[in-house]
Amino acid sequence: MLGSEYFRCPPSLSPPLERQTMKKCRICLRESHDGIIIRAPEMMIGTKEEFDYLHCSTCGGLSLISIPENLSWYYEQKYYSFASRNISRPKVGFKAAIRRRAALGKLGSSNVGDRFAHWVRPVYFNWIFRGCMSLDSRILDVGCGSGALLQEMSSYGFSNLTGIDPFLPDDHMSLAEGPRILKAYMKDMRDERFDVVMLHHVFEHLEDPQRSIMEARDLLSAGGRVLIRVPLADSYAFRKYGRFWVQIDAPRHIFIPTASGMYGLAERAGLQIENIIYDSSGFQFSGSEAYLRGMSIEQSANIFSKSEGGRFHDYSIFLNLIRDGDSASFWLRLAG
């Protein structure tokens, strides 16, 4: 049975913190005269510098008020996008066949594959839904980092994979028979079309969410979809932890929308939300509890017991079921 201690929201940690005069929300583009400023510390690296976020009184989202000129520094210091395993060749043989069956089961293309999907647990198990793609779909991963996700998808049989990231090192490698990894922005791909354009916890790092979602839209093939996985400010974790909520991730997260904010962004871009899958994890508790104790992620690596980690995991499953988890996957397609 779930304990009650993690479902209390201490008033001292929850907004409001400070009233502001007038700022514009990056998500709904409204000027918020009576919004609230959340002063969030940088805690992933552990500098503890404070950054002001507007908590919009209209859509409920968070917007970083002033982007630091040295923002790139906060990515260079032990950030994780390029810290993944080296590019490897696609797997072949019996294990590859099992992974392919698992993929087909999750994609809805094989009844036998259903059993494999629950056994093997593909990396995309929590955010994919049936009918949205096939193994030969043209898939673009925006902000792919080293391409680890695409490598994993390739091992499950996905065959037409492209990743782009403008901050890839100049000497990055891309194997001819594996995923195509390019140092590029979305605007550089305008001559190509994709069945799925994915932004996995990349969207919130972009300065202009409306322009970004429209750039993704313009890369879609007929019947294509945009997948955006993003943290959500209308979540239990933000209500509980306030400025110490781990998903604020100041100053790297330029904005954090609510579900209603995502609907507004989609509508203005001529898109409609087809499905929402809440996919938060126990990290919303373990990370936030660490920040609350003044610890960086690295410092907090071993402070929670296995049983505590299990409880955090169980809480996250419950919150996802009631659509109150702190992150979700949004599947969007062209309206009409």
Side-chain angles (χ1 to χ4, degrees):
M1 183 174 179
L2 297 180
S4 61
E5 66 274 18
Y6 286 101
F7 290 87
R8 301 192 186 102
C9 297
S12 61
L13 303 180
S14 304
L17 294 180
E18 180 179 314
R19 291 284 171 181
Q20 55 87 44
T21 53
M22 186 181 72
K23 293 289 186 295
K24 179 179 285 189
C25 174
R26 297 178 187 272
I27 302 158
C28 69
L29 307 178
R30 303 282 182 85
E31 291 185 343
S32 184
H33 295 267
D34 57 349
I36 296 163
I37 287 181
I38 305 295
R39 188 155 289 162
E42 192 290 313
M43 294 297 295
M44 175 168 281
I45 301 168
T47 68
K48 300 185 180 179
E49 299 167 80
E50 293 186 331
F51 297 88
D52 289 348
Y53 284 77
L54 170 68
H55 189 195
C56 180
S57 59
T58 301
C59 73
L62 300 176
S63 296
L64 182 61
I65 291 175
S66 179
I67 300 175
E69 293 183 2
N70 64 334
L71 182 62
S72 62
W73 183 87
Y74 296 93
Y75 287 93
E76 293 166 358
Q77 308 298 315
K78 302 179 182 179
Y79 206 63
Y80 47 78
S81 292
F82 301 104
S84 305
R85 58 184 177 271
N86 294 328
I87 292 177
S88 58
R89 296 180 180 276
K91 296 178 176 62
V92 295
F94 179 67
K95 288 185 178 180
I98 290 178
R99 287 180 171 231
R100 181 180 175 87
R101 293 245 179 184
L104 290 171
K106 186 59 182 174
L107 296 173
S109 303
S110 167
N111 291 329
V112 174
D114 266 336
R115 295 192 290 274
F116 286 102
H118 287 284
W119 176 29
V120 181
R121 299 288 294 189
V123 67
Y124 52 83
F125 192 91
N126 290 330
W127 47 261
I128 208 169
F129 78 98
R130 288 172 178 260
C132 63
M133 64 173 71
S134 63
L135 292 182
D136 59 357
S137 292
R138 294 165 293 178
I139 299 173
L140 176 67
D141 186 15
V142 177
C144 65
S146 63
L149 172 62
L150 295 177
Q151 296 164 39
E152 190 74 7
M153 292 180 71
S154 177
S155 76
Y156 277 90
F158 289 93
S159 60
N160 200 339
L161 302 170
T162 300
I164 60 172
D165 199 307
F167 302 108
L168 281 169
D170 293 330
D171 60 350
H172 77 280
M173 296 174 58
S174 184
L175 295 176
E177 68 271 42
R180 182 176 55 143
I181 308 296
L182 305 174
K183 185 172 182 176
Y185 291 93
M186 278 193 285
K187 63 183 181 181
D188 299 322
M189 308 298 292
R190 62 172 64 95
D191 293 333
E192 299 191 40
R193 293 294 177 268
F194 299 90
D195 302 314
V196 180
V197 176
M198 312 187 298
L199 294 90
H200 292 274
H201 290 282
V202 168
F203 191 51
E204 62 270 24
H205 295 260
L206 305 177
E207 185 174 343
D208 188 338
Q210 193 64 66
R211 182 183 67 190
S212 299
I213 201 170
M214 293 173 73
E215 287 181 346
R217 176 206 63 193
D218 291 343
L219 298 177
L220 292 179
S221 62
R225 293 175 172 88
V226 177
L227 165 62
I228 299 177
R229 300 180 67 208
V230 68
L232 294 175
D234 54 339
S235 59
Y236 168 77
F238 176 53
R239 296 193 301 274
K240 176 176 175 63
Y241 293 106
R243 72 194 195 103
F244 293 106
W245 175 40
V246 69
Q247 290 278 27
I248 294 180
D249 196 21
R252 288 164 291 268
H253 287 180
I254 308 300
F255 66 93
I256 304 173
T258 59
S260 63
M262 288 296 294
Y263 274 100
L265 286 165
E267 183 179 359
R268 290 190 296 274
L271 296 165
Q272 64 184 47
I273 294 176
E274 184 177 18
N275 197 9
I276 305 175
I277 302 169
Y278 281 77
D279 58 7
S280 69
S281 70
F283 183 58
Q284 64 191 304
F285 292 105
S286 60
S288 300
E289 287 288 335
Y291 286 5
L292 188 60
R293 302 175 193 191
M295 297 180 178
S296 68
I297 293 298
E298 186 175 7
Q299 291 171 331
S300 65
N302 299 306
I303 65 171
F304 298 110
S305 67
K306 186 175 181 179
S307 63
E308 286 175 313
R311 287 203 304 273
F312 293 156
H313 174 72
D314 291 343
Y315 298 157
S316 69
I317 291 175
F318 172 72
L319 290 172
N320 290 337
L321 287 173
I322 64 173
R323 304 175 75 82
D324 204 14
D326 77 339
S327 66
S329 304
F330 291 80
W331 286 90
L332 305 93
R333 60 181 174 85
L334 290 173

